[in-house]
Amino acid sequence: METPGRIAATPDALDFTVENVEKALHQLYYDPNIDNKNLAQKWLMQAQVSPQAWQFCWALLSPDKVPEIQYFGASALHTKISRYWSDIPTDQYESLKSQLFSQIACFSSGSKMVLTRLCVALASLALNTMPEAWPGAVAEMVRVFQEEGGGVDGRARCLALLELLTVLPEEFQTSRLPQYRKGQVRGALGREWGSVCPLLQQLLRRTDSPGAVKARVLRCLSSWVLLDVPLSESESLVHDCFSALPDPELFDTAVEAIVNAISQPDSQRYVNTLLKLVPQVLALQDQLREAVQNGDMETCHGICRIAVTLGENHSRTLLEQVDHWQSFLALVNMIMFCTGIPGHYPVNETTSSLTLTFWYTLQDEIMSFESDKQTVYLQVYRPVYFQLVDVLLHKAQFPSDQEYASWSSDEKEQFRIYRVDISDTLMYVYEMLGAELLSNLYDKLGRLLTNAEQPTSWQHTEALLYGFQSIAETIDVNYSDVIPGLIGLIPRININNVQLADTVMFTIGALAEWLADHPVMLSSVLPLVLQALGNPDLSVSSVSTLKKICRECKYDLPPYATNIVAVSQEVLIKQIHKTSQCMWLMQALGFLLSALPVEEILRNLHSLITPYIQQLEKLADETPNPSNKLAIIHILGLLSNLFTTLDISKQDDESVEGSAPPVKATPPSPGPNPVVVVLQQVFALIQTVLSKWLNDSQVVEAVCAIFEKSVKTLLHEFAPMVSQLSEMLGQMYSTIPQASALDLTRQMVHIFASETDHFPPIKALFELVTSVTLSIFQQGPRDHPDIVDSFMQLQAQALKRKPDLFLSESLDAKAVFHCGVLSLKFPEAPTVKSTCLFFTELLPHCSDVPPLARIVQDDGKLLVQAVLEGIGGGASRSLMDQFAEVLFCLNKHCFSLLAVWLKEALQPPGFPSSRVTAEQKVTFSQQILRERVNKRRVKDIVKEFTLLCRGLHGTEYAAEY
């Protein structure tokens, strides 16, 4: 076959002939070059919307063309009708309709994909013409296709009609009709149901209807019920769907139709119809049990979907029919059977997960009744929910070790998520069952662990503990009288399995707050946790549990501190845990040490940190390479995490998270803070490390993190370090500027800029990093959006905490302002956000910082132009609220100037967008100037204007905005 010439996509080559369209389609489907395919696709999209499409689309449908070409012709027709309806003269509606009817008849025994596109095109025409220009559209479709003729056999005509009737409501759901027309058309379609329903019934009930026809009928019903066809009007068809369920070929489509019909929001009005559906659903139980026995997961799934849909959507309606309470209870029990379906999820069954939200819904409905009614319902349903807990815990059990080992990692992950869903359900059910649920679980666990005659599987024990953990994790169990017994049972558990050990750990962690109120029980569980720390398989559970205990119970841990530190040191030295768990462990030790006397803290810190300091000294002497870089970052990270939680200032603070300190808590020592002591000792070493790694952003970041975490935790107690840290930061940033150094400077400004003693070093540091960053702007800042972002945040913080910094002659405030204007044009959204924050902090100081007032007066117009450029389309739409805040601040603090600037900036034609008229710009300007109090309104005005500028006003994009 001769290769057609390539299609050019240049405007002068847009010759949309049949021949060229065929060439482009050949290029799209068969050309191996991806650029040629893309060019062809672009050209074809333009062809589809061109005026010539009306000519070529009919020619492309010619019977001698291949289906791909015919499909494009049908798609072009649909595009023209659905998107360019207003271009079609009214006197052509009839001929277009009859042409489409005849094409559908031709293709009813041809290509299925072309037939569907033609049906969608006729559906679109019907939606645009009903009810005025084409009243009774559906009735006419049915009549046309029921007439004999055209040499097309009856079955093909019937399937074509069903395809057309199926796509009609689907096309309505996705159509771009204006809102008022949607209402009219929905009403018209609702009236047409009278023509569709008898046809579907007749075809479904005829014994000689082929399976393919019945399946299409069910699909058609599914499509129509989504238009909110009243359930009372589709009732008999829904009953017919139940009759189709035993047929394996029709099962899936019948399930879909039933589910769609009974989940329509309007269906709850038809109480009598719903009551008739309950016995029909209950009658499926034999088919369900048979499917379970045969391992037929698809049938189980489908029947369960029907039962759950009825229960979930209509539980209140059905609960209120008190005369029928037994049939609803039977439905609830059927759903319970689905929840407890035999086999392990997700390997042997996938049905049980569908039912979990039903139990939430039913509980919500029962608990929403007034108390008298609620009491009656609880008598019936509390036992059901206790049974549910047993079922859920059974489903949460791990399979045998051998079976679990054969599962894929994906199956294990799905099972983990499933257990989390069960955990959430148990937590919710607790709201209804209360303390009795904990007693129930405790009794079961007690019997299990004390019954010597009957050997217990670890899976059973683990599931019961998992139930406890699920509840204790989120619900305050401090009042419960079974927790002491549970803590007493834990040491009796024979922990011979990783999953069981994990759950024991997480259960102890969930009880950390309870242990803070009952410290006498710590001695029962702490040895278990410390023992588990040495097992790499229990890394996450043991470390997170120790961290919770150290956070919640720190004032009760001093007697155990030596032991905890020793075990932690041992596992850290042996490198048993991954990096993130090592960091958590350091945080745990920080909490633990916080409650000790200062001398003990220093002693423990010395033994804990010395090995790392020695290692760091050794690494600092080595030539930089990738492996010692990781080791350095790891050690710096350990120190950061330790200093994040080591906070002796909270020793006399009652509001501390977790247990309150005892009344006789040691007051903070008058000497320097232990963290400061350590930092001063290692400061020279850190400087040595920095000198070798200054051009590595990750090492610099890790160094800054130590000080940043320490500053955040210690606040003013960090004071002794301010001077030397400011000097080091200045040297670092002058040599190789990095964002992390600016972020640490921002923290220092935040805490110390207002303190007279520390103002000189902070001021010097601020001026130095500002000057260095301004030189970056002169050289071209586009390669450093992170530095620009952090710089703008630093400037905003300085304006907020210490605007006096901008009075200094050493600070070029005008240049900072210009850098801000430039930064507003960056493509990175976070940078622009930080810059807008800078301006919203700067503008209010026009009244009290004279240099800033002069700069804004001289150059404010540049700021307004940059903001308008962003709103006009230069910036992401997600940033419009930030730009609106800048305009709001300008209006509030520079009102008369803003009026002039807006007028001048919006004067040039085409700015900020060629899509807005001069009148629209004037309206926008007036609206902005009018709003000096209501910030929310300014945001709405800016959003409206940006949509106009981008040509999106009134589109579906605007609706999502």
Side-chain angles (χ1 to χ4, degrees):
M1 183 176 177
E2 190 187 342
T3 308
R6 280 216 336 247
I7 295 294
T10 49
D12 56 345
L14 300 182
D15 186 7
F16 299 125
T17 62
V18 174
E19 187 187 8
N20 279 345
V21 170
E22 288 195 41
K23 280 181 186 174
L25 284 165
H26 190 279
Q27 197 170 304
L28 178 67
Y29 286 118
Y30 303 111
D31 194 319
N33 184 318
I34 192 73
D35 292 335
N36 291 349
K37 280 180 185 290
N38 290 339
L39 270 177
Q41 174 135 6
K42 195 174 173 188
W43 188 89
L44 286 164
M45 284 168 78
Q46 291 170 303
Q48 226 175 12
V49 300
S50 68
Q52 294 96 308
W54 285 116
Q55 280 74 53
F56 69 65
C57 60
W58 299 109
L60 294 177
L61 286 165
S62 166
D64 59 340
K65 306 290 182 194
V66 294
E68 288 84 355
I69 289 173
Q70 294 170 331
Y71 180 83
F72 183 77
S75 288
L77 263 175
H78 172 243
T79 302
K80 297 299 284 182
I81 294 169
S82 61
R83 288 168 60 185
Y84 300 94
W85 178 252
S86 54
D87 297 351
I88 305 171
T90 46
D91 59 356
Q92 286 185 25
Y93 291 175
E94 274 306 311
S95 66
L96 181 57
K97 186 192 349 173
S98 59
Q99 274 179 293
L100 278 166
F101 267 128
S102 65
Q103 286 289 352
I104 290 171
C106 290
F107 278 93
S108 60
S109 44
S111 164
K112 170 76 172 67
M113 66 176 185
V114 181
L115 172 67
T116 300
R117 290 318 287 163
L118 288 168
C119 288
V120 171
L122 181 55
S124 188
L125 183 143
L127 295 175
N128 279 297
T129 50
M130 65 190 343
E132 301 88 358
W134 191 4
V138 175
E140 186 177 335
M141 291 173 186
V142 173
R143 195 185 67 251
V144 167
F145 281 95
Q146 282 184 330
E147 287 169 1
E148 294 290 333
V152 181
D153 76 84
R155 180 168 174 270
R157 275 203 324 277
C158 177
L159 285 169
L161 171 61
L162 287 169
E163 184 64 20
L164 178 56
L165 293 178
T166 303
V167 299
L168 184 60
E170 289 170 358
E171 179 67 4
F172 172 75
Q173 305 286 6
T174 57
S175 67
R176 300 179 176 194
L177 295 170
Q179 210 52 45
Y180 78 96
R181 277 282 298 149
K182 275 226 165 189
Q184 285 177 346
V185 175
R186 184 184 280 276
L189 283 169
R191 291 189 291 278
E192 297 277 14
W193 173 244
S195 304
V196 178
C197 184
L199 171 74
L200 299 184
Q201 259 179 323
Q202 180 194 348
L203 290 170
L204 209 49
R205 290 177 183 177
R206 275 175 58 170
T207 49
D208 60 342
S209 281
V213 169
K214 286 188 175 180
R216 198 66 62 82
V217 167
L218 294 167
R219 260 193 61 215
C220 187
L221 172 61
S222 263
S223 183
W224 277 83
V225 294
L226 292 174
L227 288 174
D228 295 335
V229 168
L231 189 59
S232 56
E233 292 179 22
S234 63
E235 181 184 335
S236 56
L237 264 170
V238 173
H239 288 308
D240 292 339
C241 292
F242 277 95
S243 309
L245 288 170
D247 184 338
E249 281 183 45
L250 302 178
F251 181 81
D252 289 342
T253 37
V255 168
E256 210 57 47
I258 294 167
V259 165
N260 285 347
I262 57 184
S263 54
Q264 283 312 299
D266 193 42
S267 56
Q268 59 202 26
R269 288 168 43 204
Y270 304 100
V271 179
N272 289 332
T273 305
L274 290 171
L275 287 171
K276 286 182 211 165
L277 284 172
V278 176
Q280 286 200 282
V281 174
L282 294 174
L284 299 173
Q285 288 180 96
D286 288 342
Q287 192 180 352
L288 175 62
R289 287 201 173 86
E290 192 181 326
V292 169
Q293 280 168 353
N294 298 336
D296 178 353
M297 284 162 76
E298 282 73 22
T299 302
C300 294
H301 209 268
I303 293 175
C304 175
R305 271 186 73 199
I306 294 171
V308 167
T309 305
L310 183 59
E312 211 171 293
N313 287 283
H314 305 294
S315 50
R316 187 171 194 91
T317 308
L318 295 170
L319 278 167
E320 284 173 338
Q321 310 313 306
V322 285
D323 294 343
H324 299 269
W325 70 272
Q326 284 168 306
S327 66
F328 183 59
L329 181 58
L331 178 68
V332 172
N333 284 323
M334 180 178 175
I335 296 171
M336 180 78 78
F337 175 80
C338 295
T339 306
I341 211 153
H344 285 289
Y345 181 95
V347 177
N348 318 111
E349 63 91 7
T350 54
T351 299
S352 56
S353 61
L354 298 178
T355 65
L356 297 179
T357 48
F358 163 75
W359 299 109
Y360 285 76
T361 308
L362 178 61
Q363 180 175 324
D364 284 346
E365 298 300 357
I366 291 169
M367 301 310 275
S368 69
F369 286 117
E370 59 274 17
S371 59
D372 293 353
K373 257 188 176 179
Q374 195 185 105
T375 309
V376 176
Y377 284 113
L378 284 174
Q379 280 179 332
V380 176
Y381 286 99
R382 267 177 71 88
V384 172
Y385 272 83
F386 273 114
Q387 186 193 345
L388 173 67
V389 171
D390 290 344
V391 167
L392 290 175
L393 291 177
H394 181 72
K395 292 297 292 180
Q397 283 187 28
F398 279 87
S400 69
D401 296 340
Q402 191 181 354
E403 193 182 336
Y404 190 64
S406 72
W407 285 13
S408 68
S409 56
D410 186 43
E411 285 165 343
K412 286 176 180 173
E413 177 58 11
Q414 282 183 56
F415 182 58
R416 186 193 67 76
I417 294 165
Y418 174 67
R419 277 171 51 101
V420 170
D421 292 341
I422 286 178
S423 174
D424 292 345
T425 312
L426 288 170
M427 187 186 80
Y428 204 76
V429 166
Y430 179 84
E431 300 292 327
M432 181 198 267
L433 301 181
E436 199 183 330
L437 172 54
L438 289 177
S439 307
N440 188 299
L441 292 175
Y442 173 65
D443 291 343
K444 287 195 171 83
L445 188 63
R447 282 199 298 276
L448 206 63
L449 295 175
T450 53
N451 186 347
E453 289 139 42
Q454 204 176 351
T456 58
S457 70
W458 70 263
Q459 288 91 339
H460 200 163
T461 308
E462 190 279 335
L464 284 168
L465 272 180
Y466 186 68
F468 259 115
Q469 178 207 323
S470 304
I471 295 159
E473 240 169 5
T474 42
I475 285 160
D476 180 11
V477 293
N478 277 7
Y479 63 85
S480 169
D481 54 1
V482 303
I483 305 298
L486 172 65
I487 299 271
L489 284 175
I490 285 176
R492 300 183 63 150
I493 297 171
N494 175 23
I495 303 176
N496 55 359
N497 173 280
V498 170
Q499 282 90 8
L500 175 58
D502 256 339
T503 303
V504 169
M505 282 302 112
F506 284 128
T507 305
I508 295 170
L511 296 171
E513 282 185 46
W514 183 90
L515 287 165
D517 289 340
H518 305 83
V520 70
M521 304 299 283
L522 276 167
S523 57
S524 301
V525 291
L526 205 50
L528 287 174
V529 179
L530 294 179
Q531 188 186 344
L533 272 185
N535 184 343
D537 291 333
L538 305 178
S539 183
V540 173
S541 59
S542 61
V543 175
S544 67
T545 295
L546 182 65
K547 184 181 161 185
K548 282 180 181 174
I549 290 175
C550 289
R551 186 182 65 210
E552 303 298 339
C553 314
K554 61 181 173 185
Y555 297 107
D556 304 301
L557 289 177
Y560 310 97
T562 312
N563 199 11
I564 295 172
V565 173
V567 173
S568 301
Q569 264 185 292
E570 189 185 340
V571 299
L572 284 166
I573 288 162
K574 286 182 177 171
Q575 297 182 344
I576 282 172
H577 301 288
K578 289 183 180 165
T579 301
S580 53
Q581 276 73 55
C582 292
M583 302 305 155
W584 292 358
L585 190 48
M586 279 302 205
Q587 287 179 22
L589 294 171
F591 285 124
L592 173 74
L593 297 181
S594 302
L596 301 178
V598 172
E599 314 78 65
E600 281 187 46
I601 297 177
L602 286 167
R603 194 174 67 248
N604 279 294
L605 280 177
H606 180 72
S607 70
L608 191 60
I609 291 174
T610 302
Y612 293 110
I613 301 305
Q614 289 167 349
Q615 208 181 333
L616 197 58
E617 284 170 344
K618 189 165 158 286
L619 290 163
D621 288 338
E622 292 176 9
T623 311
N625 68 58
S627 70
N628 60 23
K629 170 185 163 175
L630 284 176
I632 288 170
I633 289 173
H634 181 74
I635 292 170
L636 295 174
L638 292 173
L639 295 175
S640 291
N641 280 280
L642 179 62
F643 297 156
T644 303
T645 54
L646 206 171
D647 185 7
I648 61 171
S649 67
K650 296 235 174 104
Q651 285 197 359
D652 60 345
D653 177 4
E654 286 292 333
S655 67
V656 64
E657 188 180 1
S659 61
V663 181
K664 58 180 189 296
T666 327
S669 158
N673 188 291
V675 173
V676 173
V677 173
V678 173
L679 284 175
Q680 285 174 326
Q681 287 170 357
V682 299
F683 198 80
L685 173 58
I686 288 175
Q687 280 182 303
T688 310
V689 171
L690 262 182
S691 64
K692 285 202 174 171
W693 291 90
L694 202 48
N695 59 352
D696 189 298
S697 63
Q698 288 173 303
V699 176
V700 171
E701 219 169 281
V703 168
C704 289
I706 290 183
F707 294 106
E708 197 176 346
K709 301 264 177 74
S710 305
V711 170
K712 276 182 179 171
T713 308
L714 301 180
L715 302 173
H716 298 286
E717 287 199 34
F718 188 82
M721 300 287 301
V722 169
S723 183
Q724 62 193 123
L725 181 58
S726 298
E727 194 181 332
M728 185 179 93
L729 270 176
Q731 289 167 354
M732 270 167 64
Y733 196 73
S734 307
T735 316
I736 296 181
Q738 304 213 9
S740 49
L742 290 174
D743 295 335
L744 179 49
T745 304
R746 186 176 85 244
Q747 283 292 337
M748 305 265 283
V749 167
H750 175 63
I751 293 162
F752 294 107
S754 305
E755 295 192 7
T756 321
D757 295 350
H758 303 297
F759 186 59
I762 296 285
K763 178 174 180 283
L765 173 63
F766 179 72
E767 288 173 0
L768 177 62
V769 298
T770 300
S771 155
V772 171
T773 312
L774 292 178
S775 65
I776 293 176
F777 268 92
Q778 284 168 351
Q779 293 153 21
R782 273 300 304 116
D783 296 337
H784 308 284
D786 56 336
I787 289 179
V788 175
D789 185 353
S790 295
F791 179 65
M792 285 298 146
Q793 288 186 52
L794 168 62
Q795 298 297 320
Q797 184 67 266
L799 285 160
K800 192 174 185 175
R801 301 292 292 177
K802 193 73 173 170
D804 294 5
L805 286 164
F806 290 82
L807 292 169
S808 165
E809 287 180 12
S810 317
L811 189 91
D812 190 346
K814 195 180 184 77
V816 173
F817 183 91
H818 281 265
C819 290
V821 171
L822 195 61
S823 307
L824 283 177
K825 300 174 186 180
F826 269 48
E828 293 82 7
T831 304
V832 180
K833 273 186 183 173
S834 300
T835 309
C836 289
L837 174 69
F838 161 65
F839 283 116
T840 55
E841 290 291 352
L842 181 144
L843 292 165
H845 289 296
C846 286
S847 55
D848 59 3
V849 183
L852 294 179
R854 284 194 296 277
I855 293 163
V856 172
Q857 209 160 349
D858 295 347
D859 297 327
K861 183 183 168 186
L862 293 173
L863 170 60
V864 172
Q865 283 172 323
V867 168
L868 290 172
E869 199 177 309
I871 295 169
S876 158
R877 272 163 54 204
S878 66
L879 292 163
M880 292 308 115
D881 279 358
Q882 281 76 21
F883 284 128
E885 295 208 7
V886 176
L887 284 177
F888 182 74
C889 272
L890 280 162
N891 202 20
K892 203 171 177 183
H893 302 286
C894 323
F895 174 71
S896 52
L897 288 167
L898 179 63
V900 176
W901 292 333
L902 276 174
K903 189 175 179 186
E904 289 176 4
L906 290 169
Q907 197 76 47
F911 182 84
S913 161
S914 54
R915 292 191 178 92
V916 283
T917 63
E919 290 78 18
Q920 286 170 324
K921 291 197 273 188
V922 169
T923 306
F924 169 70
S925 183
Q926 288 170 345
Q927 286 177 318
I928 290 289
L929 293 167
R930 212 176 292 136
E931 293 296 339
R932 300 182 68 186
V933 179
N934 188 343
K935 194 190 288 184
R936 179 74 262 155
R937 176 79 189 107
V938 175
K939 289 180 178 180
D940 291 341
I941 294 163
V942 167
K943 279 182 181 174
E944 193 82 2
F945 189 62
T946 197
L947 290 170
L948 286 170
C949 289
R950 294 163 199 260
L952 296 174
H953 199 267
T955 65
E956 57 199 285
Y957 295 103
E960 295 161 11
Y961 194 25

